[in-house]
Amino acid sequence: MRYSIMLQIVTGMTIILLGAAGLFAWLQNRTPAVKPIGAPSASIAIGSQV
Amino acid sequence: MKRLLMHSPITVAALWILVYLLITLFPLMVLLLYPPPAQGFWIDFSVALGFIGLSMMVLQFVLTARVNRIESSYGIDILLQFHRYTSLVAFVMVLAHPIILFIGQPETLQLLNFPQAPWRARLAVLGTLAFLTMVMTTIWRKPLQIPYEPWRASHTILAVLAVGLGFGHAIGVGNYLGLFWKVVLWSGMILFALWLILYVRLIKPWLMMKKPYVVEEILPQRGDVWILALRPLGHEGFTFHPGQFAWLTLNITPFSMREHPFSMSSSGDHADRIEFGIKEIGDFTKRIKDYQPGTRAYLDGPYGVFTIDRYWDSAGFVLIAGGVGITPIYSILLTAAERQDDRPFLLIYAAPTWEEITYREAIEDLKKLLHLTVVYVLRQAQDDWQGDTGYVDRELLAKYIPLHRGSRHYFVCAAPVMMDAVEKALFELEVPVTNVHMEHFNLA
Ligand SMILES: Cc1cc2nc3c(=O)[nH]c(=O)nc-3n(C[C@H](O)[C@H](O)[C@H](O)COP(=O)(O)OP(=O)(O)OC[C@H]3O[C@@H](n4cnc5c(N)ncnc54)[C@H](O)[C@@H]3O)c2cc1C
């Protein structure tokens, strides 16, 4: 019983962790709303790859 | 209100889970500060999985380092089960990381060509292999017939290798760990894990060396059990909450890390004599009877949450023991008698035969000092036996446990099959899950 409750908790945590990985990738790859003039090359690269 | 909340197991669990998630995700989210160029959603997703897997691996070192504060919330068996489940999750994440990469950028498959692959890829392959070996030898330890101690030693070595090689791979790739301060942050985490290993393997044994014990006597008990009595040598020993256990090292240095967990069976309030009831089952336990008084011993403890001391407000207790599982429960009863505890205790005690009931006479004596009802359940009984026979199942429990189920706390310690059956039966009989406490003797 306790182990099955724990299994459910770990499943829930895994979903949160996967969500966080998705959020990480999304934040990295989203297009900046306004491309700042003279922004560092990294952010240009972000915009150009999406 | 605050006190109530802090004592609720659900609140405590929620807090620990939150802490776990924050510690796992913080180092990942930090990588988003001054990030390198994006590589497309799926590649970055796979990279995130790799980093999450790595921080989960680091946290495993904390989970298994016998940190008292964590352990005291749940107990070692729950912690180890959590360790097993989360290790599997970490393993799947670590595996998913290259698989997604291979699907997204098939040319990266070349990295598997070990002789020609760059070092960073070789480190990844070796790290994953170490992790794989660790998972396989743990899941199939018994079918593979790996004895416990070599398994434990190799488990530590493989864990250090997996984390070290995984981290080496991340630095080698240098994409997200391209900035010096990020490397410092992640190195700090990895070093912390290594420090924990050093602490467990070197510092702790050194501290134990300074507090030795000697064997005072070894006495036979019913049911192939030996009572091992220890006396502290040159220090005060320790008191404990009855039901707790300690890791015992006998006749060898604690640095050898060949220690075995045993519940104390004596009164928790007597630091000057600590007793264990040890059943003969394997290499170590079969040799107990051969040791002589005066033999050196070392203890690491007390540990565990299987104790009635945590439930001061409970109206009484239901104690369910099977075989040698009586040891922590006997300590609970003995200490309660000494403390003149006047609450009702119900002991349901399963044993193979009447002759094999460990501590039988002592338990009968305790009936005079405590409000104690004992129900013996024998597997094989003689014809004139009037008590219960068979297994501790739902019908038997329903016959004896109080109608107001939640008014008691239930402590179960027995062989794994019996523990599972009793746990299920108690659940079906509507005993609140939070009132059931179990001590698993079989950790691996
Ligand atoms: C919290 C706890 C309390 C315990 N209390 C008692 C007790 O009061 N009385 C009693 O007789 N037994 C107790 N045990 C069980 C006891 O630890 C094992 O029976 C003993 O370690 C077996 O060692 P062995 O070499 O004789 O047997 P083996 O045949 O080598 O091992 C049998 C099984 O015991 C476990 N085990 C073996 N060595 C270790 C080790 N170094 N660390 C952890 N587990 C190990 C493994 O699951 C193994 O499969 C307790 C176990 C735990 C976890």
Side-chain angles (χ1 to χ4, degrees):
Chain A
M1 190 47 56
R2 300 178 317 159
Y3 287 175
S4 83
I5 295 174
M6 193 198 293
L7 192 60
Q8 290 168 34
I9 292 176
V10 174
T11 311
M13 289 170 61
T14 309
I15 293 169
I16 295 177
L17 292 174
L18 287 176
L23 180 70
F24 175 91
W26 176 76
L27 286 173
Q28 260 292 59
N29 288 276
R30 84 203 137 123
T31 323
V34 185
K35 214 183 271 179
I37 300 162
S41 58
S43 58
I44 293 171
I46 290 171
S48 61
Q49 285 215 0
V50 175
Chain B
M1 178 66 190
K2 191 175 161 215
R3 190 168 167 264
L4 201 69
L5 210 64
M6 290 320 288
H7 276 78
S8 143
I10 298 168
T11 320
V12 178
L15 280 178
W16 276 122
I17 291 167
L18 196 70
V19 169
Y20 184 90
L21 288 173
L22 285 179
I23 299 181
T24 315
L25 292 176
F26 173 73
L28 174 75
M29 291 309 171
V30 162
L31 299 181
L32 279 175
L33 299 172
Y34 305 100
Q39 308 170 82
F41 180 85
W42 287 108
I43 303 299
D44 282 322
F45 180 70
S46 90
V47 170
L49 292 185
F51 277 113
I52 292 177
L54 194 58
S55 22
M56 286 177 86
M57 279 156 76
V58 169
L59 274 177
Q60 304 298 357
F61 288 75
V62 184
L63 287 179
T64 51
R66 295 187 204 161
V67 180
N68 248 325
R69 182 164 284 271
I70 307 180
E71 216 250 4
S72 65
S73 301
Y74 290 98
I76 192 159
D77 60 324
I78 286 275
L79 216 61
L80 285 184
Q81 192 63 19
F82 185 74
H83 165 64
R84 285 182 202 119
Y85 286 152
T86 47
S87 297
L88 282 180
V89 173
F91 182 60
V92 171
M93 293 206 176
V94 166
L95 271 192
H97 164 55
I99 291 175
I100 295 176
L101 198 69
F102 295 149
I103 296 173
Q105 295 177 345
E107 65 279 11
T108 52
L109 269 169
Q110 286 171 8
L111 294 171
L112 286 181
N113 183 353
F114 197 82
Q116 271 151 40
W119 267 109
R120 58 175 196 277
R122 288 186 196 166
L123 293 178
V125 172
L126 292 174
T128 313
L129 282 179
F131 204 168
L132 179 72
T133 317
M134 187 162 57
V135 171
M136 288 198 329
T137 50
T138 304
I139 297 179
W140 292 298
R141 180 177 76 81
K142 284 190 179 150
L144 290 172
Q145 297 187 342
I146 307 172
Y148 188 85
E149 268 130 17
W151 166 80
R152 198 167 155 205
S154 64
H155 198 72
T156 311
I157 296 170
L158 288 169
V160 172
L161 276 179
V163 168
L165 292 167
F167 183 54
H169 161 72
I171 293 189
V173 173
N175 196 23
Y176 279 99
L177 289 185
L179 294 177
F180 179 69
W181 63 268
K182 289 185 183 175
V183 178
V184 170
L185 182 97
W186 274 82
S187 308
M189 251 175 64
I190 308 286
L191 285 177
F192 178 64
L194 291 181
W195 183 83
L196 280 177
I197 288 268
L198 277 185
Y199 175 75
V200 172
R201 296 256 153 190
L202 294 175
I203 301 176
K204 196 126 193 208
W206 178 70
L207 292 174
M208 280 161 69
M209 286 283 282
K210 298 216 279 195
K211 291 194 170 176
Y213 291 76
V214 283
V215 173
E216 195 160 70
E217 51 184 349
I218 298 170
L219 304 165
Q221 244 301 333
R222 293 177 181 279
D224 292 331
V225 170
W226 293 89
I227 296 179
L228 173 76
L230 302 181
R231 183 167 45 82
L233 194 68
H235 60 101
E236 287 184 348
F238 60 81
T239 54
F240 55 92
H241 297 300
Q244 287 193 298
F245 69 95
W247 293 83
L248 167 72
T249 306
L250 203 54
N251 207 25
I252 44 172
T253 153
F255 288 101
S256 64
M257 295 297 294
R258 276 167 33 217
E259 43 179 8
H260 293 256
F262 293 101
S263 304
M264 276 73 78
S265 60
S266 47
S267 160
D269 298 337
H270 296 289
D272 52 339
R273 181 177 159 112
I274 294 180
E275 287 180 20
F276 299 91
I278 300 180
K279 186 172 175 82
E280 292 188 23
I281 58 158
D283 285 357
F284 177 76
T285 47
K286 282 192 176 138
R287 274 187 279 120
I288 290 290
K289 58 177 175 301
D290 305 328
Y291 290 107
Q292 298 301 319
T295 306
R296 277 278 161 126
Y298 300 93
L299 292 177
D300 177 20
Y303 290 104
V305 291
F306 187 77
T307 173
I308 63 168
D309 282 7
R310 292 163 67 96
Y311 308 98
W312 197 80
D313 288 338
S314 182
F317 299 97
V318 175
L319 311 169
I320 303 169
V324 75
I326 190 66
T327 47
I329 288 174
Y330 178 65
S331 168
I332 287 175
L333 290 172
L334 197 63
T335 315
E338 281 188 12
R339 292 180 186 168
Q340 299 180 343
D341 198 324
D342 59 358
R343 290 173 290 181
F345 288 83
L346 166 65
L347 169 63
I348 299 177
Y349 184 2
T353 63
W354 178 243
E355 291 311 315
E356 287 169 274
I357 298 179
T358 313
Y359 298 120
R360 193 179 80 197
E361 288 78 3
I363 290 171
E364 288 301 309
D365 286 345
L366 283 174
K367 279 187 184 168
K368 293 174 209 141
L369 301 170
L370 279 174
H371 182 341
L372 169 66
T373 312
V374 184
V375 177
Y376 296 109
V377 185
L378 302 183
R379 205 84 33 76
Q380 295 155 18
Q382 303 206 316
D383 292 344
D384 55 350
W385 171 249
Q386 312 229 307
D388 289 277
T389 50
Y391 293 99
V392 179
D393 53 18
R394 190 180 152 162
E395 283 77 62
L396 186 127
L397 288 167
K399 198 158 86 181
Y400 293 108
I401 64 172
L403 196 59
H404 299 279
R405 317 287 203 221
S407 65
R408 303 285 190 273
H409 275 264
Y410 300 70
F411 289 80
V412 191
C413 185
V417 201
M418 177 173 158
M419 304 243 311
D420 290 347
V422 169
E423 186 186 28
K424 191 160 165 275
L426 289 176
F427 182 71
E428 286 167 6
L429 291 168
E430 294 183 4
V431 172
V433 180
T434 45
N435 286 32
V436 179
H437 315 282
M438 324 239 284
E439 187 75 294
H440 283 267
F441 276 7
N442 201 333
L443 290 183

